[in-house]
Amino acid sequence: MDNTPFEFIGGSLCLDFANTVGGARNQANATDQLTSYTDLLHWSREAGLIGDTAFNHLQTKALNDVSRANDVLAEVKTLREAIYRIFSDIARGNTVDDTLLLDLNKAIGQSFHHARIVRTPDGYAWGWKQDMSLDTMEAPIVRSAADLLTAPSTLSRIRECASDHCTWLFLDETKNRSRRWCNMRTCGNASKVHRYRARHTGNAEV
Ligand SMILES: [Zn+2]
């Protein structure tokens, strides 16, 4: 098993994708977890978007067309930042900027030719044409963002981590809507330690 830094705590595929930037965007502690097309493949496999066969095929294909693989990486990162900004705005109760909707709509236009209706045991569902193109992971991510954005009941549960050093997004599934941190073990505990120190050094905030 590959040792990757990815975590899937967002409760939605598009939020997990936005969370492939560690730390806080635009701060010194920001770390991009997608530094190569291979990283993107690892994420896609862990997210369940591709299997081992597709992983190996796409990795070989990327080695044979480095320029296209880099273009896809740049493209999905642009999409990632649009997704982050859209749902960060929503988490803060702001209206989403038109230019961000434009970015999402552009991605929908580019990727939805992969969309298919497939049979399932219960009936029919959205599926994707598995054509092994280098951007095969983009369509499900775009679809996830479109679905989330058009589901008012779920939309009200989107949160951005309360830590000043983290910009991860997640769906608050708690009954009383009280989840504040992406991860209690990391950001939640860091915040507790910070508040404890502030109290004991006489510095404001509790
Ligand atoms: Zn966090």
Side-chain angles (χ1 to χ4, degrees):
M1 191 67 197
D2 296 296
N3 194 12
T4 63
F6 308 124
E7 288 187 52
F8 295 83
I9 57 87
S12 169
L13 180 72
C14 66
L15 300 184
D16 284 329
F17 187 60
N19 294 346
T20 54
V21 174
R25 284 165 166 84
N26 304 320
Q27 285 187 23
N29 72 334
T31 48
D32 193 336
Q33 295 171 346
L34 302 180
T35 57
S36 66
Y37 182 79
T38 302
D39 287 343
L40 177 62
L41 286 183
H42 279 291
W43 183 86
S44 303
R45 182 166 64 179
E46 287 188 38
L49 300 180
I50 57 172
D52 288 343
T53 307
F55 180 98
N56 293 332
H57 178 91
L58 291 170
Q59 197 165 40
T60 306
K61 198 169 178 174
L63 286 173
N64 291 326
D65 193 349
V66 174
S67 161
R68 174 66 187 141
N70 287 337
D71 284 351
V72 169
L73 182 66
E75 203 173 283
V76 297
K77 283 191 185 188
T78 301
L79 171 66
R80 180 181 65 182
E81 292 320 294
I83 289 173
Y84 165 71
R85 290 179 58 201
I86 286 171
F87 293 109
S88 175
D89 273 348
I90 285 172
R92 291 159 201 258
N94 298 334
T95 304
V96 175
D97 201 274
D98 280 349
T99 57
L100 295 174
L101 289 182
L102 212 63
D103 286 344
L104 182 60
N105 280 330
K106 195 175 150 202
I108 287 173
Q110 281 170 354
S111 63
F112 262 45
H113 63 276
H114 289 288
R116 298 287 183 274
I117 297 295
V118 295
R119 289 182 194 281
T120 68
D122 303 324
Y124 306 91
W126 281 102
W128 308 99
K129 187 183 171 196
Q130 299 290 318
D131 61 357
M132 297 285 192
S133 58
L134 288 170
D135 61 355
T136 189
M137 69 292 289
E138 195 170 337
I141 296 168
V142 170
R143 172 80 206 285
S144 164
D147 279 349
L148 190 56
L149 197 55
T150 53
S153 59
T154 320
L155 216 54
S156 62
R157 289 193 275 118
I158 294 171
R159 305 276 182 272
E160 184 160 352
C161 183
S163 166
D164 291 338
H165 309 291
C166 176
T167 49
W168 276 16
L169 299 165
F170 56 88
L171 285 180
D172 181 2
E173 309 277 14
T174 59
K175 261 189 187 159
N176 55 357
R177 304 283 183 260
S178 60
R179 182 174 165 193
R180 297 185 61 206
W181 294 285
C182 66
N183 189 326
M184 208 44 224
R185 278 185 295 111
T186 53
C187 290
N189 278 340
S191 171
K192 271 187 191 166
V193 169
H194 177 77
R195 280 181 295 168
Y196 177 86
R197 283 192 185 141
R199 274 199 302 271
H200 289 263
T201 52
N203 289 333
E205 189 212 355
V206 260

